[in-house]
Each structure stands twice: as structure tokens, then as C-alpha cells.
Amino acid sequence: MTESAIRSIVIVGGGTAGWISAAVLARFLDPAQCSITLIESEEIGTIGVGEATVPLMQHLNGLLGIDEREFVKATQGSFKLGIEFRDWGQIGNVHFHGFGDYGDAIEGVAPHHHWRKLHSLGDPASIDDYSLPYAMARRGRFMPPSSNADFYRYAFHFDASLYARSLRSHCEARGVHRVEGRVVTAERDGETGHIAVVLTADGQRHEADLFVDCSGFRGLLIEEALNTGYEDWRHWLPCDSAVVAPSAPTGPPTPFTVSTAREAGWQWRIPLQHRMGNGYVYSTRFTEDDRARDLFTANVPGKLLADPRVLRFTTGRRRKFWNGNVVAIGLAGGFMEPLESTSIQLIQTAIARLVEFFPDRNWDSRIADEYNRVTVSEFERIRDFLILHYCLTRRTDAPLWDYCRTMPLPDTLAHKIDVFRASGRVPLLAEESYQEPSWVAIFLGNGVLPDRYDPLVDRIDPERLRAGLAQRHRLLVRAAEAAPPHEVFLQRCCPAEA
Ligand code: FAD
């Protein structure tokens, strides 16, 4: 261990971000060489939402040595093959963003080009006919892939408060020291400006070399102590509020999340084993809280299990995620609405990146700069993918949709849309979270067809192509029908703990 090594870390906040950060740091650092302390306040509590994930969550479980079935049991969880979008694009439209692709390339060309050709010849098949997650989701079935050749993946729905509880025991067993207390202020080093110590209301002082700010929207250290600044993206993603409440289940849990577009936003349904998670994300520019609450309540399936509560947020990001000796992770770093369930994924990638770019007490600014560069790029590419869902709309029934249809777009997104329309291809950077099949799902799902298909497709006789794709579809349907109903799979593998 070198003289300048980091010897102590304080994490402020014990929500999903705080406990995931603590677990990953404890996995890689030796507690004898670097102490990890997490301070949280029961009085303040956590945000208490965040129940749907993306497939990267599997990787986190694997990294931490958490058995996936035990995880689903302990969090009353269920499996997720993708998201069904209703009334996006136009009222009555239903499309699916599955975790997977549309099958192997045919003669080196992605299947959606071949589909586009047959579509232009009048074939009625949908691109979803070549998606295995879609075929299973439609039938309410679930089975994990038996090999990587199955070209689909899955994620989870889970109860976030049960998850934080089980991560806490996991971390405490690995040497993370938890402190109950409300942080009231932070003192800075007169020379470097770094945070030197945080003080809790009961007078305790907690010094550390590195601080991880997981204190939620306030950004206790990154903003209140360091005034880092925030880039507001509400002109592109105008939703700034959500009304949320759980409801009693009305049937077996579906293996997918549902997102239904409404007049001033959209409403989610996240099926857990013991309840349904619900929320209506809306823009206060385009509706009022009372109206949003009424619309939400009218569209909740089953009996509400709690009074609806309203949450506010500002979509955007801190100007720097890493500032001095503070790294902001989770809501403290920034927020984008949960349309594609990306927040927990961003927590995971942020803490993994901090491990990758782990500092020492020389605080070489080139390390923080690179961390910030990659994190900003990751946030912005996800932002563009979320905006895509809104800007492709053809809805004319409400002011929100008129705004989204005509708003100016980030150049990076406008470029992707142009290239897709011209060629059916999506130009992607190396660090993009969403690969081409995801973009294709949202473009085609919203009725945007590329002007042409890849000319290499014309090497294949249309009859042969038609027969090949029909055979693919039959095989997918057979595989989906061989999978058990989702609730049967859950009962067998991971029934919720009482
Ligand atoms: P919080 O949960 O707010 O935790 C903050 C912590 O800091 C708490 O422990 C609190 O006690 C502590 N704290 C605050 N101030 C102090 C203080 N002064 N002293 C001591 N401790 C303090 N994400 C997804 O991945 N999927 C989803 O489906 C999803 N849905 C969402 C829906 C909505 C409407 C919203 C708003 C968010 C959603 N998210 C979702 C995001 C997700 O909820 C968060 O990313 C996740 O819960 C992490 O939150 P956090 O830990 O950063 O903050």
C-alpha cells in the first residue's frame, strides 16, 4: 500500500445508491486498508421507488456473489423480459422493447433490413415476430436463456426497500460500518477546498479521504457543500413529477413492465409477487397535480394499498459527477425519468467506474476528468434514447404531445434519427447502453420506417427469405410455448418469503 493510498471512505446516504456503492467498494477494497462508513438517516428515509431494472442487474448480483433466486425471493421480485408501450406514437398503438435482438444476421445483414424488404413487398409480419422475449411476454411465460446463443436477456422487478435491507446485511457482514445520523454540515479543507469532515446532528464528526454522495436529489455534498451546478434537461424531457402508490395484484405478475402514455406523461405498472407498483410521471407544465392524481387513480388496476404521494424531480445532471474528493452517485448525481428503468443501471456503472478510476490522495485531476467525461457521455446517450420515445409521437390530442412532436432535439439525437431514416442503421458510440435492436424497437414501434433497406438484402431471393423468416418465427413460438407460465416459474424457483 502506498503512502498516498485512500484509507477511508464515507458514503452519505443509505438508499439503493448508497448500499450498492458500499457493496461494490467492499467487494474490491480490503477493509483492513480502507475503512468504509455509510451514514444514513431513518428520519429522512429513502425515495422508496425504483422497482424495475435492466439486465445489467444480473451482473451486479454475480459480482457481489448474491444468488439470483435468493435475491428474487427476498425482494418479492419477478422477472422482466422488456417493456410494453401502450398509446405511445398514437392512441391504440402497442409496441414492445424486449431485452434481446431479432435473431442472427442473415448473410451479414441485421434481420430488420430483411423484414423491411418484405414489408415493402406487402408482407404483414411485425418485427416482433422475430423477438423471443416478445413471444414469451405475449404468452405470459418466462424461462432464462439456456445459453448465450438464445439472443435474449432478462432483468427484474423488485421491492426497493426490501432490496436495500438485504444489501445492508450483506455489506455489514463485509465490514461496512453503518452510522445512523442526520448529516447537518460539512467542513472543507482551507487549502484544497476538499470536504474534510461531515458532522451529524448529534455532534459526531466523520472524517474521510473520499466521500461518496448518495444523499438523493438534494446532493448534500456535491451541491449544498460544493455548489457544483446542475444542467437542467426539462426542455427535452418535460416531466417533472410523479404520483405513485402500490395496488393489490389483480392476476399473476406479467414478465414485463407496462408503460401507457397519458395526456401529460405516462403511467407505469410494475408487477411484483405481492403487489403492483404504479406511478404516473407527468409534467406540471401540461397538467395540474389534482388532475394527475385523479387520472392516476382511475387507471390503477386493483385496490390501492396506500394513499398516492407526489414526488418532484428535475431531469438533468450535475455539471460534474466527481468534484474534488466527492463523487455523486444515484439521484445526487442526476435523474432521468424511469421510462427505461435506467437509474439503478447508472448507479451500477458509476460505482464500477469509480473502482476502475480509483483515486489516491494525490488527486490527479486527469482521473476525475476522464471519469466525468465518460459518465456525461453515458447520461447523454440514455437521455437521447428517452427523448426518442417522445419526439416520434404522432399524437395531437394534448399539448404535451404537440410540444414533444415539434421541440428542437439535441444534435446527437437528430443525427441518429436522420441516419436511421436514410439507411436503417443507428450510429452508436462505444459506451452506449442501448444497442441497435433497442433503437429499432422504438423506431419501428412508433411507425418510423427507414426509407430503404440495406441493398445487400437483394442478394437473397424474396421467396427464400420469406420461408427462412417464417421458419424463424415458428421456432420462436415453439420455444416460447415450451417455457412455463411466469408465475409457475416463480413458484418453482423463488417463491417470495413470507
Ligand atoms: P434516496 O433513495 O433518496 O436515498 C437517499 C439517502 O440519503 C437516504 O438513505 C436518506 O436517508 C439519506 N440522506 C439524505 N439526506 C441525509 C442527511 N442529511 N443525513 C443523512 N442521510 C441523509 N430507478 C430504476 O432503476 N427503476 C425504476 O423503475 C425507477 N423508478 C423511479 C420512479 C420515480 C418516480 C423516481 C423519482 C425514481 C425512480 N427510479 C427508478 C430511481 C430510483 O428510485 C433511484 O435511482 C434509487 O432509488 C436510488 O436513490 P438514491 O439512493 O440515490 O436516493
Side-chain angles (χ1 to χ4, degrees):
M1 194 175 176
T2 61
E3 201 36 40
S4 58
I6 298 283
R7 289 166 203 273
S8 53
I9 301 174
V10 162
I11 299 170
V12 177
T16 315
W19 285 115
I20 291 181
S21 300
V24 172
L25 290 171
R27 163 77 176 74
F28 288 102
L29 301 177
D30 177 352
Q33 298 187 341
C34 180
S35 67
I36 304 172
T37 303
L38 183 147
I39 309 174
E40 66 175 326
S41 159
E42 268 174 32
E43 179 193 331
I44 296 175
T46 63
I47 189 148
V49 280
E51 305 186 319
T53 56
V54 298
L56 200 63
M57 188 86 199
Q58 275 181 275
H59 181 68
L60 181 66
N61 286 333
L63 182 76
L64 299 178
I66 295 175
D67 179 84
E68 185 173 295
R69 296 181 178 208
E70 291 304 319
F71 158 76
V72 174
K73 258 191 202 177
T75 60
Q76 301 260 11
S78 69
F79 293 93
K80 172 177 171 185
L81 290 161
I83 305 171
E84 181 179 274
F85 291 96
R86 299 183 185 165
D87 296 338
W88 288 83
Q90 59 188 13
I91 291 176
N93 184 34
V94 179
H95 69 276
F96 194 75
H97 173 198
F99 296 138
D101 57 29
Y102 301 103
D104 288 338
I106 303 166
E107 308 244 342
V109 179
H112 67 276
H113 291 276
H114 299 277
W115 170 85
R116 175 72 182 100
K117 172 165 181 174
L118 293 187
H119 182 81
S120 67
L121 295 173
D123 278 31
S126 148
I127 189 70
D128 288 333
D129 288 351
Y130 311 110
S131 157
L132 184 50
Y134 174 77
M136 283 196 280
R138 272 298 88 238
R139 292 164 177 79
R141 288 169 186 263
F142 178 76
M143 184 70 142
S146 53
S147 75
N148 285 343
D150 271 356
F151 55 81
Y152 74 96
R153 293 169 302 146
Y154 61 92
F156 311 95
H157 304 117
F158 64 85
D159 181 324
S161 52
L162 294 176
Y163 181 55
R165 198 183 299 166
S166 71
L167 266 189
R168 174 178 161 186
S169 338
H170 174 98
C171 290
E172 286 180 323
R174 283 157 184 80
V176 175
H177 176 54
R178 174 190 179 271
V179 173
E180 169 62 35
R182 187 164 53 83
V183 173
V184 283
T185 187
E187 286 175 6
R188 295 174 69 172
D189 180 287
E191 217 172 288
T192 60
H194 285 187
I195 303 288
V197 58
V198 292
L199 288 92
T200 49
D202 58 2
Q204 290 180 50
R205 296 170 63 83
H206 296 278
E207 292 179 10
D209 295 329
L210 171 68
F211 289 85
V212 184
D213 186 350
C214 296
S215 62
F217 286 130
R218 283 174 69 181
L220 208 62
L221 303 182
I222 195 80
E223 197 58 53
E224 292 186 8
L226 297 181
N227 301 311
T228 302
Y230 196 80
E231 201 172 293
D232 184 335
W233 288 340
R234 279 175 297 180
H235 50 296
W236 285 316
L237 290 166
C239 290
D240 58 4
S241 303
V243 51
V244 302
S247 63
T250 51
T254 56
F256 55 92
T257 309
V258 176
S259 161
T260 306
R262 303 234 179 270
E263 63 179 19
W266 60 278
Q267 186 158 348
W268 79 72
R269 259 187 219 180
I270 297 178
L272 306 182
Q273 294 193 42
H274 60 318
R275 63 170 165 78
M276 179 77 83
N278 306 280
Y280 174 28
V281 175
Y282 60 94
S283 167
T284 52
R285 259 175 80 186
F286 296 103
T287 193
E288 281 161 11
D289 290 332
D290 286 348
R291 181 160 173 82
R293 192 178 289 111
D294 290 347
L295 193 66
F296 167 73
T297 312
N299 285 293
V300 166
K303 186 172 167 299
L304 277 178
L305 298 176
D307 288 336
R309 61 190 172 107
V310 171
L311 303 165
R312 302 273 187 230
F313 49 83
T314 303
T315 294
R317 65 164 176 88
R318 292 287 164 224
R319 293 201 184 281
K320 290 179 183 174
F321 294 90
W322 179 335
N323 188 359
N325 64 338
V326 173
V327 178
I329 294 184
L331 302 175
F335 181 66
M336 288 178 275
E337 58 180 77
L339 186 53
E340 286 280 355
S341 324
T342 40
S343 289
I344 294 173
Q345 166 196 353
L346 285 166
I347 293 170
Q348 252 184 274
T349 53
I351 191 64
R353 191 170 302 127
L354 180 58
V355 169
E356 190 185 340
F357 287 96
F358 203 69
D360 56 33
R361 284 180 293 137
N362 293 320
W363 300 108
D364 185 331
S365 61
R366 290 170 298 183
I367 296 176
D369 289 349
E370 179 59 6
Y371 178 96
N372 284 325
R373 186 191 68 77
V374 180
T375 312
V376 166
S377 175
E378 183 187 34
F379 257 69
E380 290 183 349
R381 299 295 72 77
I382 290 178
R383 174 202 68 193
D384 287 358
F385 187 57
L386 299 188
I387 300 171
L388 184 77
H389 296 58
Y390 284 94
C391 73
L392 297 181
T393 194
R394 284 160 286 156
R395 283 179 66 150
T396 52
D397 58 298
L400 169 81
W401 300 108
D402 288 337
Y403 175 79
C404 292
R405 217 181 41 253
T406 52
M407 66 186 167
L409 300 178
D411 292 345
T412 40
L413 174 58
H415 176 64
K416 279 198 170 76
I417 295 175
D418 280 350
V419 174
F420 180 78
R421 283 190 198 275
S423 67
R425 295 188 180 278
V426 184
L428 296 170
L429 298 174
E431 65 263 25
E432 303 233 0
S433 307
Y434 288 96
Q435 297 301 304
E436 191 172 75
S438 293
W439 288 81
V440 167
I442 304 306
F443 276 122
L444 298 185
N446 283 284
V448 177
L449 292 175
D451 296 340
R452 59 163 223 182
Y453 51 84
D454 186 324
L456 292 180
V457 167
D458 285 332
R459 288 176 303 172
I460 306 176
D461 169 61
E463 275 317 310
R464 192 160 71 84
L465 183 58
R466 198 169 278 125
L469 286 179
Q471 170 69 357
R472 272 190 180 196
H473 176 62
R474 278 196 297 278
L475 290 175
L476 283 188
V477 169
R478 200 180 304 157
E481 287 178 349
H486 182 214
E487 67 278 17
V488 172
F489 185 84
L490 282 170
Q491 267 309 315
R492 274 190 215 146
C493 97
C494 22
E497 286 164 357

